[in-house]
Amino acid sequence: MASALHPTIALLQTSSLASVVQQEVERAILVGEYAPGTKLIEAALAQKMGVSRGPVREAFRMLEEAGLVRTEKNRGVFVRDIPIDEAVEIFDLRAAMDELVGRQLAANITPAQLKEIRGLVEQMEKAVKAEDAYGYHLLNLGFHDRLVEMAGNRKLTAIYRKLIKELSLFRRLNLADNWLLPVSAGEHRQIVKAIASGDPDAAGKALFQHVMDSKQRTIENDLRRQSRSQARDTA
């Protein structure tokens, strides 16, 4: 008969399984497989992933800490739905962080890094021509994440990524309308140009204004969505 696992080994195995479950559920949330408001069933997820309920419970705790789910007493665990006012707060905080990133990159970016972000913008422009809104959205996320990473502040990078994940729960993408893609691509081209100029003020301003423009588009899109919803309700 096999001996029981040492408590430390058992804990490590559970922690490892919880991380795998957390990463898979997070992926599913961020790509929209679990829409905001969806109830996550512990037993169903455990069966689906072939694990016991303990790692799933721990994964839920990690996801709640990351701001992706909420736990309601006696009701269960639900994917969070970010309201417009919270989305606006995230945009404001992100704008301040991006301004700092722009200033730092204008002063410190290397030629290799500059070539890399120019390449990302070129890929974005190809997605515009192909009218590939989803591909553009992924490139857009990658472009901004890479800028933050290049700034070299690990704390800022971690906080930024948490905010972006929370913002992804506000599932009303500004880039869903194809006519906005060339506008957005032009803004990214200007950001790279400002960083390449070596002028911290210009680079900081370009990134700050880009986020402010995205915030305004988000507010306008949400107002339009509410108007359409009210029109349907009264029809």
Side-chain angles (χ1 to χ4, degrees):
M1 181 176 174
S3 59
L5 285 173
H6 187 282
T8 304
I9 295 173
L11 179 62
L12 285 171
Q13 285 192 349
T14 301
S15 298
S16 178
L17 285 172
S19 295
V20 171
V21 175
Q22 180 259 329
Q23 287 167 21
E24 172 54 24
V25 176
E26 178 178 297
R27 182 204 63 77
I29 290 172
L30 295 180
V31 300
E33 288 177 21
Y34 299 131
T38 301
K39 184 175 182 179
L40 299 176
I41 310 297
E42 186 179 292
L45 273 170
Q47 185 176 15
K48 179 182 177 183
M49 299 197 66
V51 298
S52 65
R53 293 171 69 157
V56 177
R57 203 171 300 123
E58 175 62 14
F60 284 168
R61 187 195 65 75
M62 294 157 72
L63 289 163
E64 186 168 27
E65 201 172 87
L68 296 179
V69 304
R70 69 180 193 280
T71 302
E72 294 186 15
K73 193 173 182 181
N74 301 322
R75 289 199 65 221
V77 177
F78 298 83
V79 178
R80 282 186 69 210
D81 189 4
I82 300 289
I84 183 64
D85 57 340
E86 190 171 341
V88 165
E89 287 178 355
I90 293 172
F91 272 114
D92 286 340
L93 186 52
R94 184 187 155 192
M97 296 170 76
D98 271 354
E99 182 176 13
L100 175 62
V101 166
R103 297 185 68 86
Q104 290 185 348
L105 289 180
N108 302 311
I109 197 165
T110 66
Q113 288 173 333
L114 196 55
K115 182 180 179 182
E116 181 184 343
I117 60 173
R118 279 185 174 133
L120 286 171
V121 171
E122 286 168 6
Q123 289 180 54
M124 293 166 85
E125 289 169 342
K126 286 177 183 175
V128 171
K129 288 176 183 174
E131 296 186 354
D132 179 6
Y134 181 68
Y136 185 93
H137 172 63
L138 295 179
L139 287 166
N140 182 32
L141 290 174
F143 175 86
H144 287 286
D145 186 81
R146 193 67 185 105
L147 289 187
V148 173
E149 199 172 44
M150 285 176 178
N153 186 317
R154 286 174 295 180
K155 285 287 184 184
L156 186 145
T157 302
I159 294 168
Y160 180 89
R161 285 174 175 165
K162 182 178 186 296
L163 290 174
I164 293 300
K165 285 176 185 177
E166 288 188 272
L167 199 56
S168 75
L169 295 173
F170 190 84
R171 292 219 151 267
R172 307 166 187 40
L173 292 180
N174 293 332
L175 299 171
D177 297 320
N178 281 1
W179 68 268
L180 270 174
L181 296 184
V183 175
S184 176
E187 290 173 6
H188 287 84
R189 178 63 71 182
Q190 287 304 310
I191 287 168
V192 173
K193 186 177 178 182
I195 290 171
S197 75
D199 182 342
D201 290 339
K205 185 178 177 182
L207 271 160
F208 181 88
Q209 192 57 51
H210 173 66
V211 179
M212 287 292 101
D213 289 343
S214 294
K215 180 180 87 167
Q216 190 56 40
R217 287 194 285 263
T218 297
I219 293 169
E220 290 169 1
N221 282 350
D222 195 65
L223 287 171
R224 281 196 293 271
R225 183 190 61 82
Q226 289 182 42
S227 295
R228 287 194 296 268
S229 179
Q230 289 169 2
R232 282 197 301 269
D233 291 343
T234 56

Short mmCIF file of all heavy atoms in Angstrom, two decimals, residues 87-149:
data_model
loop_
_atom_site.label_atom_id
_atom_site.label_comp_id
_atom_site.label_asym_id
_atom_site.label_seq_id
_atom_site.Cartn_x
_atom_site.Cartn_y
_atom_site.Cartn_z
N ALA A 87 -14.77 51.58 -14.92
CA ALA A 87 -13.95 51.56 -16.13
C ALA A 87 -13.28 52.92 -16.33
O ALA A 87 -12.09 52.99 -16.68
CB ALA A 87 -14.80 51.19 -17.34
N VAL A 88 -14.03 53.99 -16.12
CA VAL A 88 -13.49 55.36 -16.28
C VAL A 88 -12.36 55.60 -15.28
O VAL A 88 -11.32 56.18 -15.62
CB VAL A 88 -14.62 56.40 -16.11
CG1 VAL A 88 -14.04 57.80 -15.90
CG2 VAL A 88 -15.54 56.38 -17.33
N GLU A 89 -12.52 55.12 -14.05
CA GLU A 89 -11.46 55.27 -13.04
C GLU A 89 -10.19 54.54 -13.48
O GLU A 89 -9.07 55.04 -13.29
CB GLU A 89 -11.94 54.72 -11.69
CG GLU A 89 -12.97 55.60 -10.99
CD GLU A 89 -13.45 55.00 -9.69
OE1 GLU A 89 -13.05 53.85 -9.37
OE2 GLU A 89 -14.23 55.68 -8.99
N ILE A 90 -10.36 53.36 -14.07
CA ILE A 90 -9.21 52.59 -14.55
C ILE A 90 -8.50 53.33 -15.67
O ILE A 90 -7.28 53.41 -15.72
CB ILE A 90 -9.63 51.17 -14.99
CG1 ILE A 90 -10.11 50.36 -13.78
CG2 ILE A 90 -8.46 50.45 -15.67
CD1 ILE A 90 -10.73 49.01 -14.13
N PHE A 91 -9.29 53.91 -16.60
CA PHE A 91 -8.69 54.70 -17.68
C PHE A 91 -7.87 55.87 -17.12
O PHE A 91 -6.76 56.14 -17.60
CB PHE A 91 -9.78 55.25 -18.61
CG PHE A 91 -10.16 54.31 -19.73
CD1 PHE A 91 -11.43 53.75 -19.77
CD2 PHE A 91 -9.26 53.99 -20.73
CE1 PHE A 91 -11.79 52.88 -20.80
CE2 PHE A 91 -9.62 53.13 -21.77
CZ PHE A 91 -10.89 52.57 -21.79
N ASP A 92 -8.41 56.57 -16.11
CA ASP A 92 -7.70 57.72 -15.54
C ASP A 92 -6.37 57.29 -14.91
O ASP A 92 -5.34 57.95 -15.09
CB ASP A 92 -8.57 58.41 -14.48
CG ASP A 92 -9.70 59.23 -15.10
OD1 ASP A 92 -9.60 59.56 -16.30
OD2 ASP A 92 -10.68 59.53 -14.38
N LEU A 93 -6.40 56.17 -14.18
CA LEU A 93 -5.18 55.67 -13.55
C LEU A 93 -4.20 55.20 -14.61
O LEU A 93 -2.99 55.47 -14.53
CB LEU A 93 -5.54 54.53 -12.59
CG LEU A 93 -4.41 53.96 -11.73
CD1 LEU A 93 -3.68 55.07 -10.97
CD2 LEU A 93 -4.97 52.93 -10.76
N ARG A 94 -4.71 54.52 -15.63
CA ARG A 94 -3.86 54.03 -16.71
C ARG A 94 -3.20 55.19 -17.46
O ARG A 94 -2.03 55.10 -17.86
CB ARG A 94 -4.70 53.18 -17.67
CG ARG A 94 -3.87 52.55 -18.77
CD ARG A 94 -4.73 51.87 -19.80
NE ARG A 94 -3.99 51.82 -21.06
CZ ARG A 94 -4.52 51.50 -22.22
NH1 ARG A 94 -5.78 51.20 -22.33
NH2 ARG A 94 -3.78 51.48 -23.32
N ALA A 95 -3.94 56.28 -17.65
CA ALA A 95 -3.38 57.43 -18.37
C ALA A 95 -2.16 57.99 -17.64
O ALA A 95 -1.15 58.32 -18.26
CB ALA A 95 -4.45 58.52 -18.52
N ALA A 96 -2.26 58.08 -16.30
CA ALA A 96 -1.14 58.59 -15.51
C ALA A 96 0.06 57.65 -15.60
O ALA A 96 1.21 58.10 -15.72
CB ALA A 96 -1.57 58.76 -14.05
N MET A 97 -0.20 56.34 -15.57
CA MET A 97 0.88 55.36 -15.66
C MET A 97 1.53 55.39 -17.05
O MET A 97 2.75 55.35 -17.18
CB MET A 97 0.34 53.96 -15.36
CG MET A 97 -0.18 53.80 -13.94
SD MET A 97 -1.07 52.23 -13.69
CE MET A 97 0.31 51.09 -13.59
N ASP A 98 0.69 55.47 -18.09
CA ASP A 98 1.22 55.51 -19.45
C ASP A 98 2.04 56.77 -19.73
O ASP A 98 3.01 56.74 -20.48
CB ASP A 98 0.08 55.38 -20.47
CG ASP A 98 -0.24 53.93 -20.81
OD1 ASP A 98 0.50 53.05 -20.35
OD2 ASP A 98 -1.21 53.69 -21.54
N GLU A 99 1.63 57.88 -19.12
CA GLU A 99 2.40 59.12 -19.28
C GLU A 99 3.81 58.94 -18.72
O GLU A 99 4.80 59.34 -19.33
CB GLU A 99 1.70 60.28 -18.58
CG GLU A 99 2.45 61.61 -18.75
CD GLU A 99 1.73 62.79 -18.13
OE1 GLU A 99 0.78 62.58 -17.36
OE2 GLU A 99 2.13 63.93 -18.43
N LEU A 100 3.89 58.31 -17.54
CA LEU A 100 5.20 58.03 -16.93
C LEU A 100 6.02 57.11 -17.82
O LEU A 100 7.22 57.34 -18.03
CB LEU A 100 4.99 57.38 -15.55
CG LEU A 100 6.25 56.91 -14.82
CD1 LEU A 100 7.18 58.08 -14.52
CD2 LEU A 100 5.88 56.17 -13.53
N VAL A 101 5.37 56.08 -18.37
CA VAL A 101 6.07 55.13 -19.26
C VAL A 101 6.62 55.87 -20.49
O VAL A 101 7.77 55.68 -20.88
CB VAL A 101 5.10 54.00 -19.70
CG1 VAL A 101 5.68 53.22 -20.88
CG2 VAL A 101 4.83 53.06 -18.54
N GLY A 102 5.81 56.74 -21.09
CA GLY A 102 6.24 57.49 -22.27
C GLY A 102 7.45 58.36 -21.97
O GLY A 102 8.41 58.40 -22.77
N ARG A 103 7.42 59.03 -20.83
CA ARG A 103 8.54 59.90 -20.46
C ARG A 103 9.83 59.08 -20.28
O ARG A 103 10.90 59.48 -20.74
CB ARG A 103 8.21 60.66 -19.17
CG ARG A 103 7.03 61.62 -19.30
CD ARG A 103 6.83 62.43 -18.02
NE ARG A 103 7.94 63.35 -17.83
CZ ARG A 103 7.99 64.57 -18.35
NH1 ARG A 103 7.00 65.02 -19.10
NH2 ARG A 103 9.03 65.34 -18.14
N GLN A 104 9.70 57.93 -19.63
CA GLN A 104 10.89 57.10 -19.38
C GLN A 104 11.45 56.52 -20.68
O GLN A 104 12.66 56.47 -20.87
CB GLN A 104 10.55 55.99 -18.39
CG GLN A 104 10.30 56.50 -16.97
CD GLN A 104 10.09 55.38 -15.97
OE1 GLN A 104 9.92 54.23 -16.33
NE2 GLN A 104 10.08 55.73 -14.69
N LEU A 105 10.55 56.07 -21.55
CA LEU A 105 11.02 55.47 -22.80
C LEU A 105 11.68 56.50 -23.72
O LEU A 105 12.66 56.19 -24.40
CB LEU A 105 9.87 54.77 -23.52
CG LEU A 105 9.36 53.48 -22.88
CD1 LEU A 105 8.22 52.88 -23.69
CD2 LEU A 105 10.48 52.46 -22.72
N ALA A 106 11.15 57.72 -23.75
CA ALA A 106 11.75 58.77 -24.58
C ALA A 106 13.20 59.01 -24.17
O ALA A 106 14.05 59.31 -25.01
CB ALA A 106 10.94 60.06 -24.47
N ALA A 107 13.46 58.85 -22.88
CA ALA A 107 14.82 59.09 -22.38
C ALA A 107 15.72 57.87 -22.48
O ALA A 107 16.95 58.01 -22.60
CB ALA A 107 14.74 59.54 -20.91
N ASN A 108 15.13 56.66 -22.46
CA ASN A 108 15.97 55.47 -22.28
C ASN A 108 15.82 54.36 -23.32
O ASN A 108 16.53 53.36 -23.25
CB ASN A 108 15.68 54.84 -20.90
CG ASN A 108 15.94 55.81 -19.76
OD1 ASN A 108 16.99 56.44 -19.71
ND2 ASN A 108 14.98 55.95 -18.85
N ILE A 109 14.88 54.49 -24.27
CA ILE A 109 14.64 53.37 -25.19
C ILE A 109 15.86 53.08 -26.05
O ILE A 109 16.59 53.99 -26.45
CB ILE A 109 13.39 53.65 -26.07
CG1 ILE A 109 12.90 52.34 -26.72
CG2 ILE A 109 13.69 54.71 -27.14
CD1 ILE A 109 11.50 52.42 -27.29
N THR A 110 16.11 51.79 -26.31
CA THR A 110 17.25 51.38 -27.12
C THR A 110 16.82 51.29 -28.59
O THR A 110 15.63 51.15 -28.90
CB THR A 110 17.78 50.01 -26.68
OG1 THR A 110 16.77 49.02 -26.97
CG2 THR A 110 18.10 49.99 -25.19
N PRO A 111 17.77 51.34 -29.53
CA PRO A 111 17.42 51.18 -30.96
C PRO A 111 16.68 49.87 -31.24
O PRO A 111 15.74 49.85 -32.04
CB PRO A 111 18.78 51.21 -31.65
CG PRO A 111 19.65 52.03 -30.74
CD PRO A 111 19.20 51.68 -29.36
N ALA A 112 17.08 48.79 -30.57
CA ALA A 112 16.42 47.49 -30.78
C ALA A 112 14.97 47.54 -30.31
O ALA A 112 14.07 46.99 -30.96
CB ALA A 112 17.18 46.39 -30.04
N GLN A 113 14.74 48.18 -29.17
CA GLN A 113 13.38 48.30 -28.66
C GLN A 113 12.52 49.17 -29.56
O GLN A 113 11.34 48.87 -29.81
CB GLN A 113 13.40 48.87 -27.24
CG GLN A 113 13.93 47.90 -26.19
CD GLN A 113 14.11 48.56 -24.83
OE1 GLN A 113 14.32 49.77 -24.72
NE2 GLN A 113 14.02 47.76 -23.78
N LEU A 114 13.10 50.24 -30.06
CA LEU A 114 12.38 51.13 -30.97
C LEU A 114 11.98 50.38 -32.25
O LEU A 114 10.85 50.52 -32.74
CB LEU A 114 13.25 52.34 -31.30
CG LEU A 114 12.56 53.56 -31.92
CD1 LEU A 114 11.41 54.04 -31.07
CD2 LEU A 114 13.58 54.69 -32.12
N LYS A 115 12.89 49.56 -32.75
CA LYS A 115 12.60 48.76 -33.94
C LYS A 115 11.45 47.79 -33.66
O LYS A 115 10.56 47.58 -34.50
CB LYS A 115 13.86 47.98 -34.36
CG LYS A 115 13.67 47.15 -35.62
CD LYS A 115 14.95 46.40 -35.98
CE LYS A 115 14.75 45.55 -37.24
NZ LYS A 115 15.97 44.78 -37.58
N GLU A 116 11.44 47.22 -32.45
CA GLU A 116 10.40 46.26 -32.07
C GLU A 116 9.01 46.91 -32.03
O GLU A 116 8.05 46.36 -32.58
CB GLU A 116 10.72 45.66 -30.69
CG GLU A 116 9.70 44.63 -30.23
CD GLU A 116 9.97 44.11 -28.83
OE1 GLU A 116 11.10 44.29 -28.32
OE2 GLU A 116 9.03 43.53 -28.24
N ILE A 117 8.91 48.09 -31.41
CA ILE A 117 7.58 48.71 -31.31
C ILE A 117 7.12 49.27 -32.67
O ILE A 117 5.92 49.30 -32.95
CB ILE A 117 7.51 49.77 -30.20
CG1 ILE A 117 8.49 50.93 -30.41
CG2 ILE A 117 7.70 49.13 -28.84
CD1 ILE A 117 8.29 52.07 -29.42
N ARG A 118 8.08 49.67 -33.50
CA ARG A 118 7.71 50.08 -34.87
C ARG A 118 7.13 48.87 -35.63
O ARG A 118 6.17 48.99 -36.39
CB ARG A 118 8.92 50.63 -35.60
CG ARG A 118 9.24 52.09 -35.26
CD ARG A 118 10.36 52.63 -36.10
NE ARG A 118 10.58 54.06 -35.88
CZ ARG A 118 11.75 54.62 -35.68
NH1 ARG A 118 12.86 53.89 -35.68
NH2 ARG A 118 11.85 55.92 -35.48
N GLY A 119 7.73 47.71 -35.40
CA GLY A 119 7.25 46.49 -36.03
C GLY A 119 5.84 46.14 -35.58
O GLY A 119 5.02 45.68 -36.40
N LEU A 120 5.55 46.36 -34.31
CA LEU A 120 4.21 46.09 -33.80
C LEU A 120 3.18 47.02 -34.46
O LEU A 120 2.08 46.58 -34.81
CB LEU A 120 4.17 46.27 -32.28
CG LEU A 120 4.84 45.17 -31.45
CD1 LEU A 120 4.94 45.57 -29.98
CD2 LEU A 120 4.07 43.85 -31.58
N VAL A 121 3.54 48.29 -34.63
CA VAL A 121 2.63 49.24 -35.28
C VAL A 121 2.40 48.83 -36.74
O VAL A 121 1.28 48.93 -37.26
CB VAL A 121 3.16 50.68 -35.18
CG1 VAL A 121 2.32 51.63 -36.04
CG2 VAL A 121 3.13 51.15 -33.72
N GLU A 122 3.46 48.36 -37.41
CA GLU A 122 3.29 47.89 -38.79
C GLU A 122 2.33 46.71 -38.87
O GLU A 122 1.50 46.63 -39.79
CB GLU A 122 4.66 47.51 -39.37
CG GLU A 122 5.53 48.72 -39.70
CD GLU A 122 6.98 48.34 -40.00
OE1 GLU A 122 7.27 47.13 -40.06
OE2 GLU A 122 7.81 49.27 -40.17
N GLN A 123 2.41 45.80 -37.90
CA GLN A 123 1.46 44.67 -37.84
C GLN A 123 0.04 45.18 -37.61
O GLN A 123 -0.92 44.65 -38.19
CB GLN A 123 1.85 43.71 -36.72
CG GLN A 123 3.11 42.90 -36.99
CD GLN A 123 3.41 41.97 -35.83
OE1 GLN A 123 2.58 41.17 -35.42
NE2 GLN A 123 4.61 42.08 -35.27
N MET A 124 -0.10 46.21 -36.76
CA MET A 124 -1.41 46.78 -36.50
C MET A 124 -2.00 47.40 -37.78
O MET A 124 -3.19 47.25 -38.08
CB MET A 124 -1.31 47.84 -35.39
CG MET A 124 -0.96 47.24 -34.04
SD MET A 124 -0.44 48.47 -32.82
CE MET A 124 -2.02 48.99 -32.20
N GLU A 125 -1.14 48.06 -38.55
CA GLU A 125 -1.60 48.68 -39.80
C GLU A 125 -2.03 47.62 -40.82
O GLU A 125 -2.98 47.83 -41.58
CB GLU A 125 -0.51 49.60 -40.35
CG GLU A 125 -0.35 50.87 -39.49
CD GLU A 125 0.89 51.68 -39.84
OE1 GLU A 125 1.80 51.14 -40.48
OE2 GLU A 125 0.94 52.87 -39.44
N LYS A 126 -1.34 46.47 -40.81
CA LYS A 126 -1.75 45.36 -41.69
C LYS A 126 -3.12 44.83 -41.27
O LYS A 126 -3.95 44.47 -42.12
CB LYS A 126 -0.71 44.24 -41.64
CG LYS A 126 0.58 44.57 -42.39
CD LYS A 126 1.60 43.44 -42.25
CE LYS A 126 2.91 43.81 -42.94
NZ LYS A 126 3.96 42.77 -42.72
N ALA A 127 -3.35 44.75 -39.95
CA ALA A 127 -4.65 44.29 -39.44
C ALA A 127 -5.76 45.26 -39.84
O ALA A 127 -6.89 44.85 -40.12
CB ALA A 127 -4.60 44.15 -37.92
N VAL A 128 -5.44 46.56 -39.89
CA VAL A 128 -6.41 47.58 -40.32
C VAL A 128 -6.81 47.31 -41.78
O VAL A 128 -8.01 47.28 -42.12
CB VAL A 128 -5.84 49.01 -40.19
CG1 VAL A 128 -6.78 50.02 -40.84
CG2 VAL A 128 -5.62 49.37 -38.72
N LYS A 129 -5.82 47.10 -42.63
CA LYS A 129 -6.08 46.85 -44.06
C LYS A 129 -6.91 45.58 -44.25
O LYS A 129 -7.74 45.50 -45.16
CB LYS A 129 -4.76 46.76 -44.82
CG LYS A 129 -4.06 48.10 -44.98
CD LYS A 129 -2.71 47.94 -45.67
CE LYS A 129 -1.99 49.29 -45.76
NZ LYS A 129 -0.61 49.14 -46.29
N ALA A 130 -6.66 44.60 -43.38
CA ALA A 130 -7.39 43.33 -43.48
C ALA A 130 -8.76 43.40 -42.78
O ALA A 130 -9.52 42.43 -42.82
CB ALA A 130 -6.56 42.21 -42.86
N GLU A 131 -9.05 44.55 -42.17
CA GLU A 131 -10.28 44.75 -41.39
C GLU A 131 -10.44 43.65 -40.33
O GLU A 131 -11.54 43.14 -40.08
CB GLU A 131 -11.51 44.80 -42.31
CG GLU A 131 -11.48 46.00 -43.26
CD GLU A 131 -12.76 46.15 -44.06
OE1 GLU A 131 -13.63 45.25 -43.98
OE2 GLU A 131 -12.90 47.15 -44.76
N ASP A 132 -9.31 43.32 -39.70
CA ASP A 132 -9.27 42.28 -38.66
C ASP A 132 -9.32 42.96 -37.29
O ASP A 132 -8.29 43.21 -36.67
CB ASP A 132 -7.99 41.45 -38.83
CG ASP A 132 -7.85 40.36 -37.78
OD1 ASP A 132 -8.78 40.15 -36.99
OD2 ASP A 132 -6.78 39.71 -37.75
N ALA A 133 -10.54 43.24 -36.82
CA ALA A 133 -10.71 43.99 -35.56
C ALA A 133 -10.18 43.20 -34.36
O ALA A 133 -9.54 43.76 -33.47
CB ALA A 133 -12.18 44.35 -35.35
N TYR A 134 -10.43 41.87 -34.35
CA TYR A 134 -9.99 41.07 -33.21
C TYR A 134 -8.46 40.98 -33.17
O TYR A 134 -7.84 41.15 -32.12
CB TYR A 134 -10.60 39.67 -33.26
CG TYR A 134 -10.21 38.80 -32.09
CD1 TYR A 134 -10.66 39.09 -30.80
CD2 TYR A 134 -9.35 37.72 -32.26
CE1 TYR A 134 -10.29 38.30 -29.72
CE2 TYR A 134 -8.97 36.92 -31.19
CZ TYR A 134 -9.44 37.22 -29.91
OH TYR A 134 -9.06 36.45 -28.85
N GLY A 135 -7.85 40.73 -34.35
CA GLY A 135 -6.39 40.68 -34.41
C GLY A 135 -5.78 42.01 -34.01
O GLY A 135 -4.76 42.06 -33.32
N TYR A 136 -6.42 43.10 -34.43
CA TYR A 136 -5.93 44.43 -34.06
C TYR A 136 -6.01 44.62 -32.55
O TYR A 136 -5.09 45.16 -31.94
CB TYR A 136 -6.76 45.52 -34.77
CG TYR A 136 -6.21 46.91 -34.52
CD1 TYR A 136 -5.31 47.49 -35.39
CD2 TYR A 136 -6.58 47.63 -33.38
CE1 TYR A 136 -4.77 48.75 -35.15
CE2 TYR A 136 -6.05 48.88 -33.12
CZ TYR A 136 -5.15 49.44 -34.02
OH TYR A 136 -4.62 50.68 -33.75
N HIS A 137 -7.11 44.18 -31.96
CA HIS A 137 -7.29 44.31 -30.51
C HIS A 137 -6.16 43.62 -29.76
O HIS A 137 -5.59 44.18 -28.81
CB HIS A 137 -8.65 43.71 -30.11
CG HIS A 137 -8.86 43.61 -28.63
ND1 HIS A 137 -8.90 44.71 -27.80
CD2 HIS A 137 -9.04 42.54 -27.83
CE1 HIS A 137 -9.10 44.32 -26.56
NE2 HIS A 137 -9.18 43.01 -26.55
N LEU A 138 -5.79 42.40 -30.18
CA LEU A 138 -4.71 41.66 -29.52
C LEU A 138 -3.37 42.38 -29.69
O LEU A 138 -2.57 42.46 -28.75
CB LEU A 138 -4.62 40.24 -30.07
CG LEU A 138 -5.83 39.33 -29.80
CD1 LEU A 138 -5.61 37.96 -30.42
CD2 LEU A 138 -6.09 39.20 -28.30
N LEU A 139 -3.12 42.89 -30.89
CA LEU A 139 -1.87 43.64 -31.14
C LEU A 139 -1.83 44.92 -30.31
O LEU A 139 -0.78 45.30 -29.78
CB LEU A 139 -1.76 43.98 -32.63
CG LEU A 139 -1.42 42.82 -33.56
CD1 LEU A 139 -1.68 43.20 -35.01
CD2 LEU A 139 0.05 42.39 -33.38
N ASN A 140 -2.97 45.56 -30.17
CA ASN A 140 -3.08 46.77 -29.37
C ASN A 140 -2.71 46.49 -27.92
O ASN A 140 -1.91 47.22 -27.30
CB ASN A 140 -4.51 47.30 -29.47
CG ASN A 140 -4.73 48.59 -28.72
OD1 ASN A 140 -3.81 49.41 -28.62
ND2 ASN A 140 -5.92 48.78 -28.20
N LEU A 141 -3.27 45.42 -27.37
CA LEU A 141 -2.94 45.03 -25.99
C LEU A 141 -1.44 44.73 -25.86
O LEU A 141 -0.79 45.15 -24.90
CB LEU A 141 -3.75 43.80 -25.58
CG LEU A 141 -5.25 43.99 -25.37
CD1 LEU A 141 -5.92 42.64 -25.11
CD2 LEU A 141 -5.52 44.94 -24.21
N GLY A 142 -0.90 43.99 -26.85
CA GLY A 142 0.51 43.62 -26.82
C GLY A 142 1.43 44.82 -26.92
O GLY A 142 2.47 44.89 -26.24
N PHE A 143 1.06 45.80 -27.74
CA PHE A 143 1.86 47.02 -27.91
C PHE A 143 1.98 47.76 -26.59
O PHE A 143 3.10 48.09 -26.15
CB PHE A 143 1.17 47.92 -28.96
CG PHE A 143 1.82 49.27 -29.14
CD1 PHE A 143 2.89 49.43 -30.01
CD2 PHE A 143 1.35 50.38 -28.45
CE1 PHE A 143 3.48 50.69 -30.19
CE2 PHE A 143 1.94 51.63 -28.62
CZ PHE A 143 3.00 51.78 -29.49
N HIS A 144 0.87 48.00 -25.92
CA HIS A 144 0.91 48.77 -24.68
C HIS A 144 1.59 47.99 -23.55
O HIS A 144 2.33 48.57 -22.75
CB HIS A 144 -0.51 49.19 -24.27
CG HIS A 144 -1.05 50.28 -25.14
ND1 HIS A 144 -0.61 51.60 -25.03
CD2 HIS A 144 -1.95 50.27 -26.14
CE1 HIS A 144 -1.25 52.33 -25.92
NE2 HIS A 144 -2.06 51.55 -26.62
N ASP A 145 1.35 46.68 -23.50
CA ASP A 145 2.00 45.86 -22.48
C ASP A 145 3.52 45.89 -22.66
O ASP A 145 4.28 45.98 -21.69
CB ASP A 145 1.49 44.42 -22.57
CG ASP A 145 2.03 43.55 -21.44
OD1 ASP A 145 1.48 43.61 -20.33
OD2 ASP A 145 3.02 42.82 -21.67
N ARG A 146 3.96 45.85 -23.90
CA ARG A 146 5.40 45.86 -24.19
C ARG A 146 6.03 47.20 -23.81
O ARG A 146 7.15 47.24 -23.28
CB ARG A 146 5.62 45.56 -25.68
CG ARG A 146 7.06 45.23 -26.02
CD ARG A 146 7.50 43.92 -25.42
NE ARG A 146 8.93 43.70 -25.66
CZ ARG A 146 9.88 43.83 -24.73
NH1 ARG A 146 9.57 44.17 -23.49
NH2 ARG A 146 11.14 43.62 -25.04
N LEU A 147 5.33 48.30 -24.06
CA LEU A 147 5.85 49.61 -23.67
C LEU A 147 6.08 49.66 -22.15
O LEU A 147 7.11 50.13 -21.67
CB LEU A 147 4.88 50.73 -24.07
CG LEU A 147 4.73 51.07 -25.55
CD1 LEU A 147 3.87 52.32 -25.71
CD2 LEU A 147 6.07 51.27 -26.25
N VAL A 148 5.08 49.20 -21.41
CA VAL A 148 5.18 49.21 -19.94
C VAL A 148 6.33 48.33 -19.49
O VAL A 148 7.12 48.70 -18.61
CB VAL A 148 3.84 48.76 -19.30
CG1 VAL A 148 3.99 48.62 -17.79
CG2 VAL A 148 2.74 49.77 -19.62
N GLU A 149 6.45 47.15 -20.11
CA GLU A 149 7.53 46.22 -19.77
C GLU A 149 8.90 46.84 -20.06
O GLU A 149 9.84 46.70 -19.26
CB GLU A 149 7.35 44.94 -20.58
CG GLU A 149 8.08 43.74 -20.05
CD GLU A 149 7.70 42.47 -20.80
OE1 GLU A 149 7.63 42.51 -22.05
OE2 GLU A 149 7.46 41.45 -20.14
#
